[in-house]
Amino acid sequence: MQGKIIIFSAPSGAGKTTIVKHLLSVNPNLSFSISACTRDKRGRTEENGKDYYFITPEDFKQKIANDEFVEWEEVYEGAFYGTLKSEIDRIWASGKHVILDVDVKGGLSVKNFYKDRALAVFVRPPSVEELAKRLTARNTDSSSSISSRVFKAKFELSFEDQFDKVIVNDNLEEAFANAEKLVNEFLEAENTKA
Ligand code: ADP
Ligand code: 5GP
């Protein structure tokens, strides 16, 4: 079996983590690619080596110099995130398909790197106002972090057309069903084109 990659990208707060976690819970052939990042761990909710590899900016720079990333971005000022080549190889060697959750620019870079082996899915929130509400209700970010995420979201929404598929995350159950359908179709396709 040739391993494939499923990319979920969206503005922060649109619901991609929720959708990716759901897909992982229903599809045992998928495995999550854990990114490296330099932001602080969210104390109560995140674990090192599960949600991210939380590393120092110095370690991150060293990995860039060693060419260890498929792609990396300074997603927010001073916060670096990157997809590790070693993660993709680890998952493919285990006989599974990769699923990952990256920002919009990073998602397009991963798609460009793996081409037809990858399916790039954009998750769109029903509105920017709803996105801000979700970020506030999630209760994981400061108000300045929420403001910068909402500001960036307005720009990121303009990239939707460059993705293979779009899911509108309004009703969550419908979004789950749509995501399952897209992923199953892509993984079952003889020809890896989405
Ligand atoms: P992202 O990974 O894109 O930043 P999350 O998956 O963390 O987004 O979702 C942001 C917040 O919105 C979370 O608190 C999540 O539970 C909530 N959420 C996700 N989808 C919906 C939805 N369809 N309706 C209402 N709240 C949602
Ligand atoms: P958060 O801090 O909310 O976990 O993530 C912030 C943003 O960084 C999200 O849009 C998330 O998808 C993105 N992100 C996570 N990992 C990576 C990665 O490896 N590369 C890129 N480019 N973005 C990432």
Side-chain angles (χ1 to χ4, degrees):
M1 179 201 81
Q2 194 194 40
K4 296 185 188 177
I5 298 199
I6 296 151
I7 305 155
F8 275 82
S9 293
S12 186
K16 61 193 172 304
T17 307
T18 307
I19 293 172
V20 166
K21 283 193 172 154
H22 171 76
L23 290 168
L24 284 161
S25 75
V26 296
N27 191 336
N29 296 320
L30 298 176
S31 181
F32 183 66
S33 165
I34 302 162
S35 295
C37 86
T38 65
R39 75 154 166 75
D40 292 337
K41 182 155 69 82
R42 292 173 187 141
R44 286 168 289 115
T45 53
E46 292 183 327
E47 273 178 49
N48 185 37
K50 181 166 171 271
D51 300 283
Y52 287 106
Y53 298 110
F54 293 97
I55 63 175
T56 63
E58 291 69 33
D59 285 347
F60 200 97
K61 278 183 199 138
Q62 191 56 54
K63 287 185 187 303
I64 296 172
N66 296 345
D67 197 24
E68 291 181 47
F69 290 113
V70 175
E71 62 76 40
W72 62 271
E73 297 283 335
E74 185 177 7
V75 177
Y76 301 104
E77 207 183 327
F80 292 83
Y81 296 76
T83 306
L84 292 159
K85 291 177 182 171
S86 56
E87 275 294 291
I88 310 290
D89 292 342
R90 172 183 71 77
I91 293 167
W92 281 345
S94 75
K96 296 197 177 191
H97 300 293
V98 176
I99 186 162
L100 44 78
D101 154 355
V102 293
D103 85 322
V104 169
K105 246 177 109 189
L108 292 173
S109 301
V110 176
K111 170 72 189 181
N112 193 39
F113 194 89
Y114 291 105
K115 306 266 187 313
D116 289 349
R117 243 178 132 169
L119 175 74
V121 184
F122 186 91
V123 180
R124 190 202 317 149
S127 65
V128 174
E129 291 70 29
E130 174 64 20
L131 187 82
K133 271 193 209 156
R134 287 183 192 173
L135 284 170
T136 307
R138 189 169 72 181
N139 208 17
T140 53
D141 294 88
S142 64
S143 61
S144 74
S145 166
I146 292 176
S147 302
S148 68
R149 282 160 197 259
V150 171
F151 179 78
K152 191 171 178 196
K154 292 176 186 161
F155 170 68
E156 289 174 321
L157 287 168
S158 67
F159 287 88
E160 170 182 324
D161 292 351
Q162 297 182 44
F163 282 74
D164 296 319
K165 303 281 177 187
V166 176
I167 289 178
V168 179
N169 180 19
D170 188 355
N171 176 297
L172 190 55
E173 292 307 318
E174 278 175 27
F176 283 166
N178 285 336
E180 283 178 50
K181 186 163 174 281
L182 289 184
V183 167
N184 290 339
E185 281 170 4
F186 176 67
L187 294 181
E188 281 159 15
E190 276 297 309
N191 177 335
T192 54
K193 277 203 165 97

